[in-house]
Amino acid sequence: KLFLKGESRNMNIKEKVVVNNIKRLNNSINGNPQYMIYTNNGVARTEKDSMLAYKYNWYRFEGNEVEIEYYFKNDRAYLTKIEKV
């Protein structure tokens, strides 16, 4: 399930969610980390080679309510911001 799949592809969407799980994905071809977050409302990921992946200790968000901002690209939700509420 994606957040609001098919809607608002050209703008950031802001939403409060609870993070159920964080998964570290394979590094990009350039060696940069990527993460996927599973929430009570769907799944989102960091963009390849995004500095956002370096900004946080991602596992501290597990089990917490957070506010996220994301956008859609190729029917996937990509994070632009995440903060604890």
Side-chain angles (χ1 to χ4, degrees):
K1 175 180 169 185
L2 291 175
F3 299 95
L4 304 172
K5 185 175 179 180
E7 297 181 23
S8 303
R9 294 181 189 277
N10 295 324
M11 59 186 282
N12 281 359
I13 302 161
K14 188 181 282 190
E15 188 171 356
K16 287 185 182 178
V17 296
V18 175
V19 177
N20 298 323
N21 193 22
I22 301 282
K23 180 179 178 185
R24 169 94 187 246
L25 302 175
N26 290 334
N27 286 356
S28 73
I29 195 162
N30 297 317
N32 296 313
Q34 300 178 83
Y35 293 90
M36 185 170 298
I37 67 163
Y38 297 86
T39 74
N40 61 318
N41 199 31
V43 178
R45 61 176 57 213
T46 58
E47 185 80 64
K48 289 181 183 175
D49 299 322
S50 169
M51 290 305 295
L52 187 67
Y54 288 102
K55 190 172 181 176
Y56 305 107
N57 172 0
W58 287 87
Y59 299 101
R60 74 183 180 98
F61 295 119
E62 281 185 330
N64 292 300
E65 184 177 25
V66 296
E67 184 172 87
I68 61 171
E69 286 185 25
Y70 60 95
Y71 68 94
F72 282 98
K73 180 173 142 185
N74 299 325
D75 286 333
R76 289 185 174 172
Y78 289 95
L79 290 170
T80 57
K81 186 176 181 181
I82 183 169
E83 293 181 356
K84 280 189 180 179
V85 176

